[in-house]
Amino acid sequence: MAERNPTKPEADGRLRVVIESVTPRVDGGRFPAKRVEGENVVVEADCFADGHDVLRARLLLRAEDDKQWREAEMTALGNDRWRGSFVAGPPGRYRFAVCAWVDHFESWRNELVRREDPEDIRIAALVGADLIRGTAGRASGADRKRLEDWSAVLRAKAPADSLKAAALDEALAAVAARYPDRSLTTCTAEMPLEIDRTLAAFGAWYELFPRSASTAPGRHGTFKDVEKRLPYVAKLGFDVLYLPPIHPIGREKRKGRNNTLVTKPGDVGSPWAIGSAEGGHLAVHPDLGTPADFRRLVAKAKEHGIEIALDIAYQCAPDHPWVKEHPAWFRSRPDGTVQYAENPPKKYQDIYPFDFESKDWRALWEALKGVIDFWIGEGVRIFRVDNPHTKSFAFWGWMIPEVKRSHPEVIFLAEAFTRPRVMHRLAKLGFSQSYTYFTWRNTRAELTEYFTELSRGPGRDYFRPNVWPNTPDILPESLQYGGRAMAVSRVVLASTLAASYGIYGPAFELMDNRARVPGAEEYLDSEKYELRHWDLKRPESLGPIIAMLNRIRRENPALHGNGSLRFLPTDNEQVLCYSKSTADGSNQVVVAVNLDPHNPHTCWIDLDLEALGLEPGRAFQMHDLLTGARYLWNGPRNFLRLDPAHSPAHIFLVRRHVHREQDFDYFL
Amino acid sequence: MAERNPTKPEADGRLRVVIESVTPRVDGGRFPAKRVEGENVVVEADCFADGHDVLRARLLLRAEDDKQWREAEMTALGNDRWRGSFVAGPPGRYRFAVCAWVDHFESWRNELVRREDPEDIRIAALVGADLIRGTAGRASGADRKRLEDWSAVLRAKAPADSLKAAALDEALAAVAARYPDRSLTTCTAEMPLEIDRTLAAFGAWYELFPRSASTAPGRHGTFKDVEKRLPYVAKLGFDVLYLPPIHPIGREKRKGRNNTLVTKPGDVGSPWAIGSAEGGHLAVHPDLGTPADFRRLVAKAKEHGIEIALDIAYQCAPDHPWVKEHPAWFRSRPDGTVQYAENPPKKYQDIYPFDFESKDWRALWEALKGVIDFWIGEGVRIFRVDNPHTKSFAFWGWMIPEVKRSHPEVIFLAEAFTRPRVMHRLAKLGFSQSYTYFTWRNTRAELTEYFTELSRGPGRDYFRPNVWPNTPDILPESLQYGGRAMAVSRVVLASTLAASYGIYGPAFELMDNRARVPGAEEYLDSEKYELRHWDLKRPESLGPIIAMLNRIRRENPALHGNGSLRFLPTDNEQVLCYSKSTADGSNQVVVAVNLDPHNPHTCWIDLDLEALGLEPGRAFQMHDLLTGARYLWNGPRNFLRLDPAHSPAHIFLVRRHVHREQDFDYFL
């Protein structure tokens, strides 16, 4: 911890207070902790001094570009721990610090209470008179007068009893407390704090390929087609509509259907092979429409309460204009060709990665940031970043804060399916959200361990999970073989375990479960390489269930965060049960999911009645928000049956008994 | 973590490696981790870069006043964790850092192994030829020649197979690895490390009052008497002989026997009321002898393998010379008197505390450090500091490192029986060892929780426990009422749970169990206020048991540290069982203690055979080092009976079976 360095006698050696273990704090204050607008931000610290004097501690807060600190009193929790809080302001970078000092005035009162010897009390009154005179010197007006008078009273000759009573006057003490002597105050270093808008922490995402949005099979979809799809997405209840790259697609080395090396006429290529003669990262694919069409889509989406998120893939097709304009940004091979992406023996000849060890890295960084700046100019505020873990950390650590300095409302989602340390580093460097391992966590033990780590582990202050049952790259085995029940349970889990989740549609809601080859996790006839046409009206669509889940999420603030997640014991390994609640306990949700898509399961679950604020011995209602059914439960141990043929999950709203037994409205 | 700041593009933006979570590290490197001379110091860190390139990492080490770094290669443990180590050098302050870089040479080899396409291999060979030519440029002599030749081979026209074979030559790769390209190397900030001598971490302490060391009852003991006591202390096996303050004792407000306010003629006062007309913290009490006598005692002790530790109590009796010479170092009261120590309504009129908020704090700090410097000049290297938690942290954080800069062999023991954060802070600031709560931890649950925290909790890198069953200030209830069995079990626990322990004798070994008043934890007729005379030859003395414990400690390296402590399950709450072992497993000790002094107890204990390196199904020997008895055990679950009337404890040396079944020496 970083109070002013006390190891040098040149520093103010009279500072007696030590401040340690400040939370929230990421890597000792090297990176900002993250919170959202309007959230109550709780800061704690160990504050203590030698001896037994009373301390006072304050929490200081300022916006990064503001010189003025706001201050909030901290309170002692016991065992030298102190706590203060403030309500997070608008999005931006903030700094906070903790300051504490020995409160000689309160120490004096504290000792005086325990003094018994009259002579002792008389001397203590004189000590207090001096302290209060000093306090008066920091006050003005009426307060100053009151304190001066008080000091005089304590200096007067009087019986010890009446001196003690005068010295312990509560009202005058409250006045004095407003003018503390802070001449010997210890302060921590300033800690960074990032406030995001709510959507950075709580949101439902829907991904679709614009080129497959056409209403006519075989016709290349356009931004206008996506516009027509907006009511559908809005009806499903999604907050974010995320589009894969919308730029011109390279023609050189273009991949054919199902990722083949040879293209046939009409093959559209992968949108992630960015750039052609028509332009690069700042252009839109001519077949999708014009820049004006795109801006119109952004605006129309907003009318539906939906934000458009763009895919940022920092890589180039061989015919991207930058390849010729900036050869220094790529690695060249001894044969004069540009080094394509590879993981031997696999080759990705349609993709040229940037060389972050380039001598021209400054220009490269600026150009890459320029891509974000450009799309911000086009109205986009959410970016889903493709494979950020293959670009240098130093770049992200510079670019994201730079962008957010002017646009604190921007949200970056990191698509890094890689090793844990790497994913965490990206989150620390500034990514607002991160993809997770949810897609491959299926059993009760796996889900419990992973979501306990996500909600309460070391990443809780900076790593915000955004969980996806599927993506265009990943059709997990669960969805290949689990049928409808599995799809339902996966989206119930995603939408209730995590405050942010997403699906890749319409593949998800239409339950496309065909893998390219058995054992692969890739979609057959993937939209990554061809146009697809989806019949959204198919009766088996999961659309209505998803719409209900998104409505439940919006209506229940317990589901807006991750920190309150607690897993509940059940006696059947196939049933996962967990609860979430708001900080004040006013909204409490209990979810139970049958993880086995093939068989009905029963179990006993154990509720923590005290944590739920329920009175033992008094019935309470479990209102299943999925089916509307209401169950009257009594006591902590209750029986459940979950049949995947009907619904593999319950999402219970806990309705507490209210004391109006005569009323019809028996439960809130 | 503190790699060069990557958030500024001005910094070296091409550094791709990130280093995080370095251990050992105290408060992010603000305070040194502590180790002892000769110990294998293991350093770990998370090192990773974007993408899939191979990294190389090194551990750097230097003495604080040395500019030259030593380097040790680190190895990857998986999951981006790396480990390196070095053997700790002589006592002093050191600094270490971790440096890592992308190893383009090894990345190239790593990919080449997987390349299959001949054209691909030919281009890769050329890439390698360039890398190796660069490597040759950093080499000289024969190595340079070999690398240049290798580079030429890879540039030659040849079949892909033979190029691949030549490129993967192991011997040449080993040569190249000696000349890595470190131009883009990430390094952490320098982390401090404190190396102490072994006695700072492992030692047995014995405290006695010199004035009670006289052989004739009623005669004031002297340093010469203590000299005569040395063979006794050496026979008990102690490493350190700690003396309460040896300075002149104040006459003003002197306390009488049993801490009474009124003295009688001949009352000797408390040695902690330091200073009188005869002198202060630099003087010796005339009744104890001369400074020359003291120096002789220090020298004689050394001949017995014992070091003298002095008590440092930074406080003054009212007649201490400093009170008149430096009135600014004390707080004065409005009546002109000096503020004595108090905790209202309790008063300690014989003690004046220093005012660490004094404007003259620089001179005060220098004078207090001068006390240590003076006694170092008199041959003392160990200081037990009285109530350090009532002196300012800033002072300790300056003074201890200042002293240890010239005398890294000095050991400071903090006598701070106070709140956990305060005790930990003192340890971080430089105290080599700390008193603990052991004295009040009695049950199996209490001892298990507390010693698990001490051995494996956050303090493990800086907080070294020194545990005491009793002190002159504390006669715990356990020893008042538990009789001999309790005394034995407490000293077995102290001497085997912690690498450093101490007793206040002869009160401990002679089992003085008389409290001043019932319910108080103070000794009746305490030596703090009067001379005592002890009959060391009493047959019930615990001396022989203590001598055996100290011999067992010396002979078993497993007991020289705290980190290996593991508690073993037993089915009887009154039996505490634990193991300790050396890092290489060559010495393993299992201790079982009956915590109930009144009743025999039996239990089943569960050994972790694998952790002990024992083969399942093969008998092993448990050699009780206290009684000499040897038991043949088989399998993890074994039965024990502990009768406090005989011995409340076993200290088993685990003797592994050796494969010489015909030999007489069946067990090592």
Side-chain angles (χ1 to χ4, degrees):
Chain A
M1 256 330 299
E3 77 283 9
R4 287 170 205 151
N5 187 347
T7 63
K8 307 272 183 211
E10 297 76 40
D12 205 327
R14 293 180 300 157
L15 294 182
R16 288 171 48 208
V17 177
V18 161
I19 309 177
E20 288 190 331
S21 303
V22 177
T23 57
R25 197 178 38 144
V26 179
D27 286 11
R30 163 86 176 72
F31 299 106
K34 296 174 188 165
R35 294 291 187 271
V36 294
E37 195 172 11
E39 195 177 347
N40 190 45
V41 180
V42 174
V43 172
E44 291 189 4
D46 293 338
C47 305
F48 52 91
D50 58 277
H52 306 284
D53 283 331
V54 178
L55 304 195
R56 227 168 128 179
R58 284 201 181 155
L59 168 58
L60 278 68
L61 176 78
R62 65 178 176 87
E64 198 171 61
D65 52 4
D66 195 347
K67 287 207 174 114
Q68 192 63 39
W69 291 98
R70 287 192 293 132
E71 298 197 358
E73 205 74 23
M74 297 178 79
T75 54
L77 304 175
N79 203 15
D80 295 318
R81 194 80 180 151
W82 292 69
R83 179 185 290 163
S85 68
F86 52 83
V87 175
R93 283 262 181 148
Y94 291 78
R95 293 182 165 270
F96 69 92
V98 173
C99 294
W101 63 93
V102 172
D103 184 343
H104 288 293
F105 173 76
E106 195 54 38
S107 300
W108 164 76
R109 276 169 48 88
N110 195 39
E111 289 186 345
L112 187 66
V113 172
R114 290 177 279 134
R115 289 188 195 279
E116 293 161 2
D117 174 8
E119 178 53 21
D120 213 30
I121 290 170
R122 255 176 231 115
I123 291 171
L126 291 174
V127 171
D130 285 353
L131 282 169
I132 294 162
R133 188 165 46 195
T135 306
R138 290 183 293 276
S140 60
D143 283 352
R144 181 172 191 140
K145 180 71 173 58
R146 289 180 75 185
L147 292 167
E148 280 169 351
D149 291 349
W150 191 18
S151 177
V153 166
L154 298 183
R155 249 189 307 275
K157 278 205 196 312
D161 280 1
S162 66
L163 281 173
K164 184 167 176 175
L168 294 176
D169 186 299
E170 290 290 341
L172 288 167
V175 175
R178 293 205 287 272
Y179 307 97
D181 177 5
R182 296 170 69 173
S183 56
L184 293 176
T185 297
T186 302
C187 289
T188 63
E190 299 177 16
M191 313 272 169
L193 182 74
E194 182 144 14
I195 304 299
D196 284 310
R197 57 186 171 123
T198 304
L199 195 57
F202 171 65
W205 292 50
Y206 187 79
E207 174 175 8
L208 67 72
F209 281 74
R211 66 187 184 189
S212 296
S214 132
T215 45
R219 182 170 67 73
H220 195 287
T222 64
F223 293 135
K224 286 201 163 65
D225 291 317
V226 179
E227 249 185 66
K228 288 182 203 132
R229 184 69 62 85
L230 288 171
Y232 172 81
V233 178
K235 200 172 157 199
L236 292 189
F238 286 99
D239 306 297
V240 177
L241 175 58
Y242 146 51
L243 311 180
I246 58 171
H247 316 299
I249 294 171
R251 286 189 183 80
E252 272 185 49
K253 307 278 181 186
R254 177 177 285 190
K255 292 286 173 77
R257 293 172 179 233
N258 284 308
N259 202 16
T260 47
L261 288 175
V262 190
T263 51
K264 292 183 185 135
D267 276 358
V268 288
S270 161
W272 283 274
I274 295 171
S276 72
E278 285 94 347
H281 286 76
L282 309 186
V284 297
H285 195 299
D287 290 350
L288 290 173
T290 65
D293 291 343
F294 177 73
R295 286 192 292 269
R296 196 181 126 98
L297 171 62
V298 171
K300 286 282 169 194
K302 200 165 284 174
E303 289 172 17
H304 285 90
I306 293 169
E307 270 196 63
I308 298 293
L310 274 199
D311 192 301
I312 296 295
Y314 282 137
Q315 56 194 21
C316 295
D319 37 340
H320 191 296
W322 281 350
V323 176
K324 281 208 181 91
E325 291 166 16
H326 301 285
W329 294 356
F330 305 89
R331 272 166 68 193
S332 65
R333 307 207 301 171
D335 64 350
T337 61
V338 176
Q339 178 65 60
Y340 48 78
E342 55 172 355
N343 184 13
K346 285 191 202 161
K347 303 176 184 187
Y348 308 93
Q349 295 101 327
D350 60 335
I351 302 289
Y352 289 176
F354 292 108
D355 177 12
F356 284 87
E357 291 185 355
S358 163
K359 291 211 167 70
D360 197 29
W361 61 273
R362 281 187 180 81
L364 172 63
W365 284 22
E366 290 292 349
L368 298 181
K369 173 171 177 289
V371 174
I372 305 291
D373 293 338
F374 178 85
W375 291 106
I376 288 176
E378 297 293 289
V380 179
R381 293 293 181 275
I382 309 182
F383 300 94
R384 175 271 197 196
V385 178
D386 191 72
N387 282 335
H389 55 294
T390 60
K391 286 88 199 173
S392 97
F393 296 105
F395 166 69
W396 299 119
W398 167 77
M399 189 274 276
I400 295 177
E402 274 296 297
V403 167
K404 293 189 75 172
R405 186 167 303 162
S406 335
H407 291 281
E409 73 280 14
V410 170
I411 293 170
F412 290 93
L413 166 61
E415 187 246 10
F417 289 112
T418 181
R419 309 186 308 282
R421 304 281 180 275
V422 173
M423 292 171 66
H424 276 250
R425 181 71 177 197
L426 291 167
K428 290 177 191 172
L429 289 169
F431 280 92
S432 325
Q433 309 189 339
S434 309
Y435 280 62
T436 69
Y437 305 143
F438 168 71
T439 321
W440 304 277
R441 295 292 179 273
N442 296 297
T443 67
R444 184 171 79 165
E446 284 169 357
L447 289 162
T448 302
E449 185 189 356
Y450 189 50
F451 280 88
T452 299
E453 180 198 319
L454 287 174
S455 59
R456 302 165 81 181
R460 68 189 178 280
D461 287 324
Y462 60 86
F463 187 96
R464 296 193 186 110
N466 189 333
V467 311
W468 293 65
N470 74 328
T471 77
D473 291 314
I474 315 165
L475 171 64
E477 285 197 308
S478 55
L479 296 180
Q480 291 178 39
Y481 303 113
R484 180 187 181 81
M486 179 58 86
V488 172
S489 76
R490 295 300 290 174
V491 73
V492 168
L493 291 169
S495 62
T496 58
L497 278 171
S500 290
Y501 87 107
I503 58 170
Y504 153 55
F508 185 82
E509 67 265 29
L510 298 182
M511 291 176 285
D512 181 357
N513 62 357
R514 299 167 310 137
R516 190 174 57 76
V517 290
E521 290 199 323
E522 295 154 54
Y523 279 97
L524 179 69
D525 303 332
S526 166
E527 289 184 284
K528 286 175 70 179
Y529 309 103
E530 64 189 89
L531 307 185
R532 286 284 294 276
H533 184 262
W534 303 96
D535 177 6
L536 303 177
K537 301 224 170 87
R538 275 163 58 185
E540 69 271 32
S541 168
L542 299 179
I545 292 168
I546 293 167
M548 183 172 291
L549 287 171
N550 283 332
R551 189 170 56 74
I552 291 170
R553 282 166 50 87
R554 287 197 186 169
E555 290 174 356
N556 288 279
L559 300 174
H560 297 191
N562 296 312
S564 72
L565 177 67
R566 295 293 179 276
F567 290 93
L568 304 174
T570 71
D571 61 354
N572 180 335
E573 248 183 62
Q574 293 293 347
V575 182
L576 181 71
C577 189
Y578 47 93
S579 68
K580 277 186 161 185
S581 63
T582 51
D584 64 0
S586 62
N587 181 244
Q588 287 171 322
V589 170
V590 172
V591 181
V593 181
N594 178 355
L595 301 173
D596 175 357
H598 308 296
N599 303 292
H601 281 276
T602 61
C603 76
W604 289 93
I605 71 165
D606 285 305
L607 297 176
D608 182 344
L609 294 190
E610 200 181 329
L612 291 167
L614 297 169
E615 286 176 57
R618 193 176 265 267
F620 52 96
Q621 205 191 76
M622 296 295 268
H623 180 182
D624 186 353
L625 302 174
L626 283 175
T627 62
R630 294 175 183 234
Y631 305 88
L632 211 57
W633 283 13
N634 204 323
R637 200 161 166 76
N638 290 277
F639 188 78
L640 276 183
R641 184 173 192 279
L642 287 159
D643 185 346
H646 303 291
S647 170
H650 292 300
I651 302 179
F652 293 118
L653 174 63
V654 183
R655 292 189 182 271
R656 245 166 299 183
H657 185 273
V658 286
H659 296 266
R660 296 179 302 170
E661 308 204 355
Q662 311 311 317
D663 291 8
F664 177 76
D665 189 4
Y666 194 64
F667 288 97
L668 277 180
Chain B
M1 255 330 298
E3 78 282 8
R4 288 168 206 155
N5 189 348
T7 63
K8 307 273 183 210
E10 298 75 40
D12 211 328
R14 294 183 298 159
L15 294 181
R16 289 170 49 208
V17 177
V18 161
I19 309 176
E20 287 190 332
S21 303
V22 177
T23 57
R25 197 177 39 143
V26 178
D27 286 10
R30 162 87 175 71
F31 299 106
K34 296 173 188 165
R35 294 292 187 268
V36 293
E37 193 172 12
E39 195 176 346
N40 190 45
V41 180
V42 174
V43 172
E44 291 189 4
D46 292 338
C47 305
F48 51 92
D50 58 276
H52 304 285
D53 283 333
V54 178
L55 304 195
R56 228 168 127 179
R58 285 201 180 155
L59 168 59
L60 278 69
L61 177 78
R62 65 177 176 88
E64 197 171 61
D65 51 4
D66 195 347
K67 287 211 174 107
Q68 192 62 40
W69 291 98
R70 285 192 294 133
E71 297 196 358
E73 206 73 24
M74 297 179 80
T75 54
L77 303 176
N79 204 14
D80 296 316
R81 195 79 180 149
W82 292 68
R83 180 185 289 162
S85 68
F86 53 82
V87 175
R93 284 261 181 148
Y94 291 77
R95 293 182 165 270
F96 69 92
V98 173
C99 294
W101 63 93
V102 173
D103 184 344
H104 288 294
F105 173 77
E106 195 53 38
S107 301
W108 164 76
R109 277 170 48 88
N110 194 39
E111 289 186 345
L112 188 67
V113 173
R114 290 177 279 135
R115 290 189 193 278
E116 294 161 0
D117 174 9
E119 178 54 21
D120 213 31
I121 290 170
R122 257 177 230 113
I123 290 171
L126 292 174
V127 171
D130 284 353
L131 281 170
I132 293 163
R133 189 165 46 193
T135 307
R138 290 184 293 275
S140 59
D143 283 351
R144 181 171 191 142
K145 182 70 174 53
R146 291 181 75 185
L147 292 168
E148 281 170 349
D149 291 349
W150 191 18
S151 177
V153 166
L154 297 183
R155 250 189 305 275
K157 280 207 196 306
D161 279 2
S162 66
L163 281 174
K164 184 167 175 174
L168 294 177
D169 186 298
E170 289 291 340
L172 287 166
V175 175
R178 293 205 288 271
Y179 306 97
D181 177 5
R182 295 171 68 174
S183 56
L184 293 177
T185 297
T186 301
C187 289
T188 62
E190 299 178 14
M191 313 272 170
L193 182 74
E194 182 146 13
I195 304 298
D196 284 309
R197 57 186 171 125
T198 305
L199 194 57
F202 171 66
W205 293 48
Y206 187 78
E207 174 176 8
L208 67 73
F209 281 74
R211 66 187 184 188
S212 295
S214 132
T215 45
R219 183 170 65 71
H220 194 286
T222 65
F223 293 135
K224 287 204 162 64
D225 291 317
V226 179
E227 248 185 67
K228 287 184 203 129
R229 184 70 62 84
L230 288 171
Y232 172 82
V233 178
K235 200 172 157 197
L236 291 190
F238 286 99
D239 305 298
V240 177
L241 175 58
Y242 147 50
L243 311 179
I246 58 170
H247 316 299
I249 294 170
R251 285 189 184 81
E252 274 185 49
K253 308 277 182 187
R254 176 177 285 189
K255 293 284 173 80
R257 292 171 180 231
N258 283 308
N259 201 17
T260 47
L261 288 174
V262 191
T263 51
K264 291 183 187 137
D267 277 357
V268 289
S270 161
W272 283 274
I274 294 170
S276 71
E278 285 95 346
H281 286 77
L282 309 186
V284 297
H285 195 298
D287 290 350
L288 289 173
T290 66
D293 291 343
F294 177 73
R295 287 193 291 270
R296 196 183 127 101
L297 170 62
V298 171
K300 284 284 167 191
K302 197 165 287 174
E303 289 172 16
H304 284 91
I306 294 169
E307 270 195 63
I308 298 294
L310 274 200
D311 191 302
I312 296 295
Y314 283 137
Q315 56 194 23
C316 295
D319 38 339
H320 190 297
W322 281 349
V323 176
K324 281 208 180 90
E325 291 165 17
H326 300 284
W329 294 355
F330 306 88
R331 273 167 69 194
S332 65
R333 306 206 302 170
D335 64 348
T337 60
V338 177
Q339 178 66 59
Y340 47 80
E342 56 172 355
N343 184 13
K346 286 192 204 161
K347 304 176 184 187
Y348 309 93
Q349 295 100 329
D350 60 334
I351 302 288
Y352 288 176
F354 292 108
D355 176 13
F356 283 86
E357 292 185 354
S358 164
K359 292 211 166 71
D360 196 29
W361 60 274
R362 282 187 178 81
L364 172 62
W365 284 22
E366 289 292 349
L368 298 181
K369 173 171 177 289
V371 173
I372 305 291
D373 292 339
F374 177 86
W375 291 107
I376 287 176
E378 298 292 289
V380 178
R381 293 295 181 275
I382 309 182
F383 300 93
R384 177 270 194 196
V385 177
D386 191 70
N387 282 334
H389 55 295
T390 59
K391 287 89 199 174
S392 97
F393 296 105
F395 165 69
W396 299 118
W398 166 78
M399 189 274 276
I400 295 177
E402 274 296 296
V403 166
K404 292 189 77 172
R405 186 166 302 160
S406 336
H407 291 282
E409 75 281 14
V410 170
I411 293 169
F412 289 94
L413 166 61
E415 187 246 10
F417 289 111
T418 182
R419 310 187 307 282
R421 304 282 181 272
V422 174
M423 291 171 66
H424 276 250
R425 182 71 177 196
L426 292 166
K428 290 177 191 173
L429 289 169
F431 280 92
S432 324
Q433 309 188 337
S434 308
Y435 280 61
T436 70
Y437 305 143
F438 167 71
T439 321
W440 303 277
R441 295 293 179 272
N442 295 296
T443 67
R444 185 171 79 165
E446 286 169 356
L447 289 162
T448 301
E449 185 191 356
Y450 189 50
F451 280 88
T452 299
E453 179 197 320
L454 287 174
S455 59
R456 302 165 80 180
R460 66 189 180 280
D461 287 324
Y462 60 86
F463 187 96
R464 297 194 186 109
N466 190 334
V467 310
W468 295 65
N470 74 327
T471 77
D473 290 313
I474 315 164
L475 171 64
E477 285 196 311
S478 56
L479 296 180
Q480 290 179 38
Y481 303 114
R484 180 187 181 82
M486 179 58 86
V488 171
S489 76
R490 294 300 290 174
V491 73
V492 167
L493 292 169
S495 62
T496 59
L497 278 171
S500 290
Y501 88 106
I503 58 170
Y504 152 55
F508 185 82
E509 68 265 28
L510 298 183
M511 291 178 284
D512 181 356
N513 61 357
R514 298 167 309 138
R516 190 174 57 75
V517 290
E521 289 199 323
E522 296 154 53
Y523 279 98
L524 179 67
D525 303 333
S526 166
E527 289 183 286
K528 286 175 71 180
Y529 309 103
E530 64 188 272
L531 307 185
R532 287 284 295 274
H533 184 262
W534 303 96
D535 177 6
L536 303 177
K537 302 224 171 85
R538 275 162 60 185
E540 69 270 30
S541 168
L542 299 178
I545 293 168
I546 293 167
M548 183 173 288
L549 288 171
N550 283 331
R551 189 170 56 75
I552 291 170
R553 282 167 50 87
R554 287 198 184 168
E555 290 174 357
N556 288 279
L559 300 174
H560 297 191
N562 296 314
S564 72
L565 178 67
R566 294 295 178 276
F567 289 93
L568 304 174
T570 70
D571 62 353
N572 181 333
E573 248 184 61
Q574 294 294 346
V575 182
L576 182 72
C577 188
Y578 47 93
S579 69
K580 278 187 160 182
S581 63
T582 51
D584 64 0
S586 62
N587 181 243
Q588 287 170 322
V589 171
V590 172
V591 182
V593 182
N594 178 353
L595 301 173
D596 175 357
H598 307 298
N599 303 291
H601 281 275
T602 62
C603 76
W604 288 94
I605 72 167
D606 284 305
L607 296 176
D608 181 346
L609 294 190
E610 201 180 329
L612 291 166
L614 297 169
E615 287 176 57
R618 194 175 265 267
F620 53 96
Q621 205 191 77
M622 297 294 268
H623 180 183
D624 186 352
L625 301 174
L626 282 174
T627 61
R630 295 176 182 233
Y631 305 88
L632 212 57
W633 283 13
N634 205 323
R637 200 161 166 78
N638 289 277
F639 187 79
L640 275 185
R641 184 173 193 279
L642 287 159
D643 185 347
H646 303 292
S647 170
H650 292 301
I651 302 179
F652 293 118
L653 174 64
V654 183
R655 293 187 181 272
R656 246 166 299 183
H657 183 274
V658 287
H659 295 267
R660 296 177 302 170
E661 308 204 357
Q662 312 311 317
D663 291 7
F664 177 74
D665 189 3
Y666 194 64
F667 288 97
L668 276 178

